[in-house]
Amino acid sequence: MDFEGKTSVVTGGAGGIGRGIAHALARRGSNVLIADTNEESAVKVVAELMAFGAHASFCETDVTAQWSTDEMVEAALEEFGQLDVLVNNAGVGGARDFTFRKTPNIDDWLATFDVNVFGIVNGIQSVEKYMLDRGYGKIVNIASIAGRSGGAGFTAYGASKAAAINVSQAWAFKLAPHGINVNTVCPGLIWTPLWESIGEWRSLTSRQHTGMTSRQVFERAVAESVPLGREQTPEDVGNAVAYLASDRARSITGQALNVDGGIRMN
Amino acid sequence: MSIAEQSIIPARQADWKQRDRHGENLNLKGQVAVVTGGATGSGRASAGKRADRGAAVMVADINDSASAATAAEVAEIAGRSACFRVDVTDVGACSDLAAKTLEVLGPADILINNAGVAGAPNWQKRSFSTEEDWKMTYRVNVIGMSNIVTAFEPQMAKRRSGRVVNIASIAGREGRPSLPHYSASKAAVISLTQSTALELARYNITVNAICPGLLWTPMWEQVGERYAREVPAYAGMSARQVFDVMIADRIPMKSEQTPEDIAETVVFFTSYDAKNITGQALNVDGGLFMR
């Protein structure tokens, strides 16, 4: 197995896409540390992973604080003895109650950049010294196809995800000579708690979605925009992460791969 | 020994099977893969990797004897393989290939469009692109690819399933003064990949491109010779020295890419794991290009 004896840390691993990533890595033999603010959900994911024989544990982590991601890395090393893969997946759509605002306010801008950008920066900064000393490491950041080009409405989120792609490239370049790969996955339309909020936001703020449930908004988006005609899943993202984090992809770095059924081709 | 003669197919197949224990996802048993330009270089590595995962492989190449040799290697691994001489610029030959594949191995599940040229014959001896270079690269790299996809589309569409991987190049990511005809043709391959992906999505066929970086292949050997002759900074160097200097100067990871790297990416795009990825072009280049 690609990750036999290896250890992966997945931020935001307690639910949604992060859970899919944790499963994909654990099924390929990796030990997994779930780093999340939500202990209740994280513990459930840990139990799922252990149920099929993987080694997993939880570390309460707030990626917006450097000390917290430092502790996360220490926890992984203490628990499993080594750290091979860091998946910076934690993300938010906006500040509290963002679904009720037609356009993002300053709190939304700060929240999206705090988590979606600085969260990645903190994660990388906490792990890079260890990876540099070791001369080995795989970092995969989760951005979004929303970061591929600007659009009306969900501006703060889109801008933060574009920044996430840029940040990944910067560290890819810096860490490339040291045997460390840094890549990005840009998920498309995936039914997660985040998309549930986005659906709610659209039904509250866009006239053409008025009265629709969140899931209906989602299905309409899938039907209208996905060439392959179906939604993507957390497993799809997990599989792409597992590929990019494996030694099979040793010559791939600084790339952003869309897992979106063909919505975006850049 | 040239790169074409070195075995790229892993000697110990058991190791790979061991590594793939995690699931059925990378298991291609019962599938049929067609590799154009499959006789040598990256195409050969891809053919081997497919077979390694249990697929039956059709090795299609203009080079008859080399493709027979690769097909024989593949047969040793997978038990089933065939080879067919095809000039991808010949529409009739492409349909014959599709018919032959169907007849001998069954309907194609996977299509790897790897056939490509860097120019018309003797391109490496010229300093400038000729009209023939432009025509030849476009005919083989772009129109040839379209011919092959068109020939196999009915087989895949009928079964509502298929995977196409087109080999482009990082040369297609940005225009450069050397070999402009080649760069332009590879940019066209990326564009063709996107159009084809949109066209075939309704049949549940994914189409993706790989942009290889710097690989020590027969083609790069000729590129290196040309650079040594044309570019003052490389004067007096052997082709391999030019190649090594370019790796050190330009590749962030400071290492060359290999046919094996490309074959692994092909495996990913054609696997179940990548079922929701289409229309993408992925650079396998040690970080040289990040877009």
Side-chain angles (χ1 to χ4, degrees):
Chain A
M1 283 192 281
D2 281 355
F3 297 94
E4 192 89 71
K6 293 192 172 170
T7 299
S8 309
V9 172
V10 183
T11 72
I17 291 174
R19 176 169 164 263
I21 296 167
H23 272 263
L25 292 167
R27 287 199 183 278
R28 290 165 173 80
S30 183
N31 306 319
V32 176
L33 181 80
I34 304 287
D36 207 295
T37 49
N38 185 339
E39 177 164 9
E40 201 187 325
S41 306
V43 167
K44 280 185 202 151
V45 175
V46 167
E48 289 167 11
L49 302 181
M50 290 175 77
F52 61 80
H55 297 285
S57 79
F58 164 67
C59 176
E60 187 171 355
T61 307
D62 174 0
V63 297
T64 65
Q66 187 78 71
W67 64 263
S68 185
T69 52
D70 284 347
E71 279 188 5
M72 164 186 93
V73 170
E74 281 161 28
L77 293 176
E78 201 168 297
E79 182 83 21
F80 302 113
Q82 68 186 65
L83 204 175
D84 307 275
V85 179
L86 170 64
V87 185
N88 288 304
N89 162 77
V92 294
R96 193 179 293 276
D97 295 333
F98 79 88
T99 55
F100 296 103
R101 291 185 281 278
K102 197 173 173 68
T103 50
N105 66 15
I106 187 65
D107 292 333
D108 295 322
W109 282 95
L110 292 173
T112 49
F113 271 74
D114 259 353
V115 180
N116 304 352
V117 185
F118 307 141
I120 292 177
V121 173
N122 287 335
I124 297 178
Q125 287 185 156
S126 292
V127 83
E128 70 177 334
K129 191 184 175 304
Y130 169 79
M131 286 184 172
L132 282 168
D133 285 347
R134 208 164 157 231
Y136 182 89
K138 308 284 182 186
I139 297 170
V140 183
N141 300 322
I142 308 303
S144 164
I145 52 163
R148 289 299 205 174
S149 67
F154 219 38
T155 47
Y157 180 79
S160 75
K161 292 300 192 178
I165 297 171
N166 194 292
V167 157
S168 306
Q169 293 172 337
W171 260 283
F173 207 80
K174 178 186 173 191
L175 301 177
H178 308 285
I180 302 166
N181 305 58
V182 186
N183 289 291
T184 311
V185 174
C186 297
L189 295 179
I190 303 184
W191 184 242
T192 58
L194 176 65
W195 229 102
E196 218 170 323
S197 309
I198 296 171
E200 193 178 311
W201 169 73
R202 281 199 189 160
S203 74
L204 290 169
T205 59
S206 127
R207 197 168 296 163
Q208 50 172 320
H209 295 102
T210 306
M212 293 170 83
T213 66
S214 196
R215 178 71 203 183
Q216 285 168 331
V217 174
F218 177 76
E219 281 171 7
R220 182 155 153 189
V222 170
E224 282 173 355
S225 64
V226 184
L228 281 174
R230 56 180 179 245
E231 64 191 271
Q232 295 85 60
T233 65
E235 291 69 37
D236 290 331
V237 178
N239 292 334
V241 168
Y243 170 64
L244 291 172
S246 75
D247 291 330
R248 298 173 194 279
R250 62 180 182 168
S251 284
I252 302 178
T253 197
Q255 307 305 314
L257 180 64
N258 301 338
V259 180
D260 67 349
I263 301 172
R264 293 246 166 235
M265 298 191 174
N266 59 342
Chain B
M1 187 164 70
S2 83
I3 188 79
E5 288 156 350
Q6 293 169 24
S7 178
I8 298 145
I9 297 163
R12 292 179 24 230
Q13 311 304 329
D15 290 353
W16 289 103
K17 295 223 169 61
Q18 192 75 12
R19 283 169 64 182
D20 280 338
R21 231 159 5 106
H22 65 260
E24 300 299 300
N25 296 3
L26 294 175
N27 187 345
L28 301 168
K29 210 167 169 57
Q31 297 212 6
V32 174
V34 180
V35 188
T36 72
T40 58
S42 301
R44 179 160 168 264
S46 286
K49 194 68 81 185
R50 315 306 321 161
D52 197 20
R53 303 287 152 81
V57 182
M58 168 62 88
V59 181
D61 206 295
I62 198 161
N63 182 340
D64 234 351
S65 55
S67 64
T70 304
E73 286 174 355
V74 164
E76 216 165 280
I77 304 166
R80 286 173 78 217
S81 78
C83 61
F84 193 81
R85 188 188 177 281
V86 68
D87 173 354
V88 294
T89 65
D90 176 350
V91 175
C94 292
S95 348
D96 291 348
L97 169 66
K100 190 76 182 171
T101 304
L102 190 59
E103 180 197 325
V104 180
L105 302 174
D109 301 282
I110 294 161
L111 198 50
I112 303 161
N113 281 307
N114 169 74
V117 294
N122 296 322
W123 61 267
Q124 69 274 23
K125 297 188 181 137
R126 289 188 283 273
S127 323
F128 302 100
S129 304
T130 63
E131 190 183 351
E132 284 313 305
D133 289 326
W134 283 97
K135 282 182 178 163
M136 184 84 176
T137 45
Y138 215 79
R139 275 185 193 144
V140 176
N141 301 358
V142 188
I143 303 172
M145 196 173 272
S146 171
N147 289 343
I148 289 283
V149 173
T150 306
F152 279 93
E153 183 185 323
Q155 295 182 17
M156 293 180 162
K158 195 175 167 194
R159 302 164 74 225
R160 289 289 184 274
S161 124
R163 293 277 204 277
V164 180
V165 179
N166 297 331
I167 306 301
S169 165
I170 50 160
R173 291 296 199 180
E174 188 179 274
R176 298 200 72 79
S178 63
L179 304 175
H181 55 276
Y182 180 73
S183 293
S185 76
K186 290 301 190 178
V189 167
I190 296 171
S191 173
L192 175 64
T193 301
Q194 297 170 342
S195 307
T196 316
L198 290 172
E199 175 74 19
L200 301 183
R202 62 193 146 131
Y203 303 124
N204 189 31
I205 298 169
T206 69
V207 187
N208 292 289
I210 296 171
C211 300
L214 298 185
L215 282 87
W216 184 243
T217 57
M219 194 182 109
W220 223 102
E221 208 169 329
Q222 295 174 326
V223 172
E225 277 165 24
R226 185 171 150 151
Y227 280 178
R229 202 180 56 238
E230 307 275 329
V231 184
Y234 301 130
M237 288 186 186
S238 70
R240 178 70 211 193
Q241 284 169 329
V242 173
F243 181 76
D244 287 339
V245 168
M246 287 193 75
I247 299 291
D249 286 352
R250 299 190 62 200
I251 305 286
M253 295 200 93
K254 308 287 176 211
S255 54
E256 64 190 271
Q257 291 80 63
T258 63
E260 180 84 1
D261 289 333
I262 307 310
E264 285 290 5
T265 312
V266 171
V267 167
F268 171 66
F269 275 136
T270 57
S271 71
Y272 175 83
D273 283 358
K275 68 179 186 300
N276 275 325
I277 301 178
T278 195
Q280 307 305 314
L282 183 62
N283 302 334
V284 182
D285 66 350
L288 179 55
F289 280 89
M290 297 195 180
R291 64 187 168 79

